[in-house]
Amino acid sequence: MSNAIRLPAAVHSAAVPSPCISVCRIDPATSLCEGCYRTIDEIAHWSLFDNDEKLAVWAELNRRQAACR
């Protein structure tokens, strides 16, 4: 039996929200949005991503924000 932490099934079946906070500026030094810390490709493709892809982006956001400070 695995000890891996798993998200509840309800999270995977519900729509994963966008991290956008309506501060839409790409920082030329990092190539990340200054508001949500997504790349331009992640922003452009968000509506095409499945929930697992969206959750993977969310998992990176805190790390990216910390790196930009």
Side-chain angles (χ1 to χ4, degrees):
M1 178 180 269
S2 172
N3 289 331
I5 297 172
R6 298 176 196 268
L7 291 170
V11 171
H12 289 287
S13 63
V16 176
S18 168
C20 180
I21 60 168
S22 298
V23 177
C24 304
R25 288 185 303 267
I26 299 297
D27 182 331
T30 64
S31 298
L32 298 174
C33 175
E34 293 177 4
C36 67
Y37 299 96
R38 289 182 293 170
T39 66
I40 193 73
D41 287 338
E42 290 167 344
I43 293 166
H45 295 102
W46 188 260
S47 64
L48 303 174
F49 287 167
D50 63 27
N51 282 350
D52 287 338
E53 291 169 310
K54 291 177 180 180
L55 291 170
V57 172
W58 269 103
E60 286 292 311
L61 299 182
N62 286 333
R63 183 194 61 75
R64 291 176 184 174
Q65 182 180 26
C68 288
R69 288 186 179 175

